[in-house]
């Protein structure tokens, strides 16, 4: 039934694993796929973490985790809410991406632009062969030693937050707020997929500091 409903140009069966169906329905990983009318299987049972990445193709359609690797979207006319077809000038953005990467080097392996996002500013994805955060937690719960996996922070260059970061960087490439916003973006992406920031208290403090600055009354 999934294959019969595939829009023209879709070549893969997309799925997403997680703790609950409700959390998966709100995942930012679905945005660009949903904008093109492409369905995603929401797999919320623990056993799904074990079989889904190893599933054999069905009727010549491979299973693809929507939260891993890169999502190759079929060429189609833009629909409401979909990211524009024009790619950003990566050379112009490179200095900012490098600053964000440096601020998050302990937590992510790369910072890059996303083809998944149409509404959210950022999301976290894994490389194709990486285990999911849920599987990593399951293995640790069973007493297995699993080294922490660094994921990839993907950014939506058309989101107002990301565009404003570029403006901030162009005004002053050494502005310490760039590193602070990198931490906030990483925490936001972690929460958006149902995770918990590595240091919740530090993340909460960053949020409080941001609120304090933005709510400060000049001259008070």
């Amino acid at each position: 039934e999934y294959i019969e409903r595939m829009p023209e140009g879709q070549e893969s069966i997309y799925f997403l694993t997680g703790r609950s169906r409700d959390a998966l329905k709100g995942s930012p990983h679905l945005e660009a796929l949903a904008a093109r009318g492409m369905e995603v299987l929401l797999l919320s049972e623990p056993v799904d973490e074990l079989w889904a990445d190893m599933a054999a193709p069905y009727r010549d359609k491979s299973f693809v985790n929507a939260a891993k690797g890169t999502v190759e979207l079929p060429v189609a006319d833009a629909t409401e809410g979909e990211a524009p077809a024009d790619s950003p000038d990566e050379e112009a953005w490179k200095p900012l991406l490098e600053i964000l990467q440096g601020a998050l080097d302990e937590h992510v392996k790369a910072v890059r632009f996303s083809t998944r996002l149409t509404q959210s500013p950022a999301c976290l994805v894994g490389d194709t062969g990486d285990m999911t955060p849920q599987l990593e937690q399951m293995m640790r719960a069973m007493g297995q030693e699993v080294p922490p996996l660094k994921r990839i922070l993907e950014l939506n260059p058309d989101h107002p937050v990301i565009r404003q970061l570029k403006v901030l960087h162009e005004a002053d490439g050494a502005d310490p707020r760039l590193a602070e916003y990198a931490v906030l973006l990483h925490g936001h992406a972690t929460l958006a997929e149902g995770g918990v920031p590595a240091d919740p208290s530090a993340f909460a403090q960053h949020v409080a500091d941001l609120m304090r600055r933005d709510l400060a009354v000049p001259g008070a």
Side-chain angles (χ1 to χ4, degrees), residues 87-159:
S87 299
D89 182 355
E90 297 204 18
E91 280 302 312
W93 285 81
K94 186 176 179 180
L96 173 59
L97 297 182
E98 289 178 345
I99 289 176
L100 300 179
Q101 168 71 54
L104 298 171
D105 197 51
E106 182 181 350
H107 304 290
V108 303
K109 64 175 70 175
V111 177
R112 70 187 185 197
F113 289 128
S114 181
T115 58
R116 292 172 169 83
L117 302 173
T118 62
Q119 301 173 36
S120 299
C123 69
L124 287 167
V125 303
D127 276 333
T128 302
D130 288 351
M131 67 178 68
T132 64
Q134 294 79 23
L135 182 56
E136 184 180 354
Q137 292 173 8
M138 286 173 57
M139 294 182 69
R140 285 206 179 96
M142 293 187 291
Q144 299 189 39
E145 292 188 10
V146 181
L149 291 175
K150 288 186 178 182
R151 300 173 72 201
I152 299 164
L153 181 67
E154 289 194 345
L155 306 179
N156 177 1
D158 296 304
H159 194 279

Side-chain angles (χ1 to χ4, degrees), residues 3 6 9-13 55-63:
I3 290 176
M6 278 185 174
Q10 181 176 346
E11 299 295 333
S12 302
I13 299 172
Y58 178 73
R59 288 169 55 180
D60 296 326
K61 303 293 185 182
S62 298
F63 286 83

